[in-house]
Amino acid sequence: MARFDDVKAMFWGEGLYGVLPSLTDGVVRDAERQLGVRLPVSLLQLLWVQNGGPVAAAWDAFPTDVPTSWSKSHVPFDVMMGIGRHNGLLSMLDSGYLIEEWGLPSPLVLFSGDGHYWIALDYRVCGERGEPSVTWFDTDGDTELPLATDFRTFVERLTAAASFDLDAEDRGR
């Protein structure tokens, strides 16, 4: 397991897809007000470096002990949403709409996914001011899988998708 500060230093990948304008204190306060939750400090530490976008290949998968619709051994994490509104890009601020659209439980803050699956900050147990766990939601299979007790642990357990055997059966799609 990697240390958070080591991952943080090399977290973001190349490219501008999904990158939103830089955070400000006002944007963070407004986002927390709109979302109705306190965002994890570790999440904000990453977003202060870059506000969403591609995740580096070294950190683009989260290992799982059970198979998912995506893979026998992991879930993808190649892009992380940022906070804000810009040129129609999805953002964590779209969580309310997306939760309703995809029939997900609440309160969640979605931070990665494509509709068929989502990875979310899960506030159902801790409440809006607590430290959320991280959960995988498979909307096609109507299943969920707890991934980590908190966002920092989620980041520290990330690994490279290339480290898994990705034969056609394992891709799940």
Side-chain angles (χ1 to χ4, degrees):
M1 190 159 91
R3 289 187 22 209
F4 181 81
D5 288 335
D6 295 337
V7 176
K8 183 176 107 175
M10 304 175 296
F11 182 78
W12 296 106
E14 295 185 24
L16 297 177
Y17 176 78
V19 178
L20 295 169
S22 297
L23 284 187
T24 65
D25 290 333
V27 167
V28 172
R29 279 191 306 273
D30 189 51
E32 290 181 328
R33 184 188 54 73
Q34 285 182 51
L35 295 167
V37 299
R38 183 184 53 81
L39 294 168
V41 170
S42 53
L43 170 74
L44 294 173
Q45 287 176 324
L46 292 174
L47 294 176
W48 282 108
V49 174
Q50 179 176 300
N51 191 9
V55 174
W59 317 113
D60 65 354
F62 188 90
T64 61
D65 295 330
V66 298
T68 68
S69 62
W70 180 263
S71 165
K72 295 177 198 173
S73 58
H74 68 283
V75 297
F77 184 62
D78 55 347
V79 173
M80 186 165 90
M81 290 181 208
I83 299 171
R85 304 264 184 230
H86 186 68
N87 293 337
L89 291 172
L90 276 183
S91 134
M92 289 182 215
L93 297 179
D94 295 307
S95 292
Y97 163 77
L98 294 169
I99 288 165
E100 185 176 326
E101 176 76 17
W102 292 96
L104 297 170
S106 185
L108 304 175
V109 174
L110 307 178
F111 65 88
S112 189
D114 68 1
H116 299 284
Y117 71 87
W118 297 102
I119 301 174
L121 299 171
D122 190 342
Y123 290 86
R124 292 178 291 175
V125 172
C126 69
E128 290 84 359
R129 307 311 291 165
E131 186 71 24
S133 60
V134 176
T135 304
W136 159 272
F137 293 91
D138 180 335
T139 58
D140 290 339
D142 197 27
T143 60
E144 62 183 76
L145 175 65
L147 298 178
T149 56
D150 56 59
F151 186 78
R152 184 182 187 100
T153 302
F154 172 78
V155 169
E156 290 177 340
R157 292 197 53 215
L158 290 171
T159 189
S163 68
F164 297 96
D165 180 17
L166 295 178
D167 61 26
E169 180 182 277
D170 195 37
R171 284 190 188 99
R173 293 183 188 239

